[in-house]
Amino acid sequence: MIWTLSLSTQTDPDSTRMVRRLVRSIVNYEGGSEHEARALELALGEALANTTAHAYPGAVGPVSIAATFDRGTFTFTVLDRGETASTPTVPQALPDARKSLGLFLISSLVDYLEIKQNGNGTGRGVSITMIKRLREA
Amino acid sequence: MSNLLGIDVKQLPDAILLHVEGEVDIGTAPELREAMIAAIASGRHVIVNVRDVEYIDMAGFHVLQTGQQSVAGDQRFAIIASTPHVDRIIEIIQFRNVVPVLDSEGAALDFVRARHRSDENKMEMP
């Protein structure tokens, strides 16, 4: 099965909560295990929390989520339109100062994680792309 | 208190146990922080049981880390966690190096009370 899904929402807690719950349901629907569904729910939740904290500190802003499912592999991209001075880097090991723990956690939950600045080509915004292949389906 | 997060407070003479249910995320973590800080202000040991949470993310773990950093003197802080989805996060972020993690209420009470039963002030992390 191959499909794509696009969502436009905001970074307020209620909206981001709905998105992560939806992701968990989708993973379950596609035959993912509870373990995988919770992992992807958490990864999306952390990506949205990162967007909330860094793209729109102290405010609520727009965010879009693109999802693709292609023969057992999920790809999720979270894209904001905020101003970010520098692209966040993904720690390769547990950070000593326990900063960027959310990104480190995401990288441990998915098979591939990429963060790009100006991901939408407008000169603003950061995209977080996460790929995970279901293994327990 | 939102209907997304439930916190049951159990008062003991020497400890306060917070039993947390529901979802701890960026929206509800402040409620957990408020309850936890109030418990710590009592001067008693504080145990936060997250065994029955449906969801907890880094916002929640940051609050728990704050709890450990806020106790003073002989006061001790610990959490209870023993479910796969919570344990997985604890392992990834090596949270046992930050906060004592026990798997039952009895074990957590033994841990926080241990200092008073022993002349030794140096306790090993569980």
Side-chain angles (χ1 to χ4, degrees):
Chain A
M1 185 182 291
I2 301 173
W3 52 255
T4 61
L5 175 71
S6 297
L7 288 171
S8 294
T9 185
Q10 298 191 112
T11 56
D12 63 276
D14 289 339
S15 298
T16 57
R17 190 176 297 122
M18 284 303 121
V19 171
R20 64 170 172 77
R21 285 177 177 171
L22 176 63
V23 166
R24 182 172 166 186
S25 297
I26 289 172
V27 177
N28 279 325
Y29 174 79
E30 289 295 357
S33 67
E34 189 61 22
H35 185 75
E36 291 168 324
R38 284 182 181 274
L40 280 169
E41 179 189 17
L42 182 58
L44 262 290
E46 288 297 334
L48 290 164
N50 187 278
T51 296
T52 303
H54 297 290
Y56 312 112
V60 172
V63 63
S64 61
I65 298 100
T68 301
F69 184 73
D70 186 348
R71 288 161 290 193
T73 298
F74 279 104
T75 301
F76 293 100
T77 298
V78 175
L79 176 63
D80 66 65
R81 297 182 208 157
E83 300 277 3
T84 304
S86 61
T87 308
T89 55
V90 181
Q92 298 302 304
L94 189 70
D96 289 340
R98 305 190 72 79
K99 300 285 185 186
S100 302
L101 271 179
L103 293 176
F104 177 72
L105 180 59
I106 296 171
S107 71
S108 302
L109 295 170
V110 300
D111 299 322
Y112 176 79
L113 170 63
E114 182 180 66
I115 302 176
K116 290 164 69 175
Q117 199 164 11
N118 305 331
N120 57 1
T122 63
R124 300 177 71 186
V126 168
S127 66
I128 302 175
T129 298
M130 296 157 280
I131 300 176
K132 183 169 179 63
R133 177 164 184 78
L134 299 183
R135 293 184 173 83
E136 300 169 26
Chain B
M1 187 77 67
S2 73
N3 57 6
L4 297 164
L5 186 71
I7 303 175
D8 180 57
V9 181
K10 184 176 176 181
Q11 308 257 3
L12 299 177
D14 60 343
I16 295 180
L17 284 83
L18 304 179
H19 182 258
V20 186
E21 290 182 304
E23 302 186 38
V24 188
D25 61 17
I26 197 167
T28 60
E31 295 175 33
L32 174 58
R33 180 190 299 272
E34 186 178 339
M36 190 188 69
I37 293 300
I40 290 171
S42 74
R44 284 174 274 179
H45 304 306
V46 175
I47 298 167
V48 180
N49 186 346
V50 294
R51 197 168 48 189
D52 292 324
V53 298
E54 178 66 19
Y55 178 90
I56 182 168
D57 62 15
M58 289 311 305
F61 279 96
H62 183 70
V63 169
L64 297 174
Q65 183 174 345
T66 302
Q68 173 65 21
Q69 292 165 342
S70 301
V71 292
D74 287 338
Q75 189 181 27
R76 304 192 91 184
F77 181 84
I79 69 168
I80 301 170
S82 62
T83 45
H85 64 284
V86 178
D87 286 350
R88 185 181 191 187
I89 306 171
I90 287 172
E91 292 303 320
I92 291 171
I93 65 171
Q94 297 178 24
F95 202 61
R96 292 175 197 277
N97 294 339
V98 180
V99 172
V101 181
L102 288 305
D103 62 5
S104 69
E105 186 176 310
L109 282 170
D110 284 347
F111 172 76
V112 298
R113 290 168 173 163
R115 178 169 290 186
H116 297 288
R117 286 204 300 263
S118 168
D119 292 330
E120 295 177 9
N121 283 332
K122 293 177 181 175
M123 282 294 301
E124 293 290 328
M125 280 272 199

